[in-house]
Amino acid sequence: MDIKTVSERSKNMAKVHSKNTKPELYIRSLLHRKGFRFRVSGIQILGKPDLFFTKKRVAVFIHGCFWHRHKDCKYTYMPKSNTEFWLKKFHANVLRDHVVKSELLKSGIFVLVIWECTVKKMKSDKEFAEQKYSQISSFLQTPNCEYLEL
């Protein structure tokens, strides 16, 4: 059973936004400081990536672990109430992510997914942040694969 009332839970969930999240702002700031230039929220691009690098044809998604069901992640928990609704919601999110990724790859657009937990660890661990930035930078400059997930 949920520890909050239905109205309290509704207010909490209404505060969750899909754009300009803290992980997204962190990655945008990091890449911009390092000299990368990109478009934010590519509305005209399938799946509306958080960042889009036009010249390199790279779509970057910064996924929340809870909403996009990051496998084996501590932030990917199942709410205790209204589980049937959440199962449908999460299944639809994962399916949509898979379809978007496939369609982007088919159209020659490279895809980079950065998970929320990776960003959280980057914020607290400088060495880890440098390692992940190196992977991101390498992928953005000369992708040697079509898809990378961090």
Side-chain angles (χ1 to χ4, degrees):
M1 200 73 208
D2 199 352
I3 59 173
K4 296 190 181 275
T5 66
V6 173
S7 63
E8 288 173 329
R9 179 63 61 205
S10 181
K11 284 180 187 176
N12 282 2
M13 297 312 284
K15 291 178 185 176
V16 178
H17 297 283
S18 62
K19 292 182 182 178
N20 298 323
T21 62
K22 287 181 182 179
E24 183 183 338
L25 294 175
Y26 174 83
I27 294 295
R28 280 175 23 194
S29 175
L30 172 69
L31 294 177
H32 194 269
R33 278 192 318 250
K34 300 288 188 175
F36 287 100
R37 297 301 177 255
F38 46 83
R39 296 193 181 278
V40 177
S41 298
I43 292 171
Q44 67 276 23
I45 307 299
L46 178 68
K48 299 178 187 174
D50 298 306
L51 308 174
F52 187 71
F53 295 80
T54 308
K55 290 180 183 174
K56 297 290 185 178
R57 296 185 53 81
V58 176
V60 179
F61 295 92
I62 296 118
H63 280 338
C65 298
F66 175 78
W67 296 104
H68 296 271
R69 310 317 286 166
H70 188 197
K71 201 170 200 156
D72 300 326
C73 177
K74 68 180 180 180
Y75 301 112
T76 306
Y77 59 89
M78 179 57 72
K80 301 270 188 269
S81 63
N82 206 3
T83 53
E84 189 175 317
F85 164 82
W86 288 110
L87 283 171
K88 286 180 188 175
K89 172 88 173 144
F90 294 146
H91 180 71
N93 287 354
V94 170
L95 183 62
R96 184 184 63 244
D97 291 343
H98 179 74
V99 169
V100 165
K101 179 183 101 175
S102 297
E103 290 299 316
L104 288 173
L105 293 174
K106 279 184 202 171
S107 64
I109 296 175
F110 298 97
V111 177
L112 171 62
V113 173
I114 304 171
W115 289 99
E116 172 188 17
C117 59
T118 301
V119 175
K120 284 184 178 189
K121 190 166 181 185
M122 286 174 75
K123 286 180 173 182
S124 64
D125 184 342
K126 256 191 169 160
E127 191 175 308
F128 182 80
E130 289 172 13
Q131 176 194 12
K132 292 302 170 188
Y133 169 72
S134 177
Q135 289 178 290
I136 293 167
S137 175
S138 176
F139 184 81
L140 292 174
Q141 290 173 4
T142 52
N144 56 0
C145 60
E146 295 178 324
Y147 177 72
L148 178 62
E149 193 171 310
L150 301 173

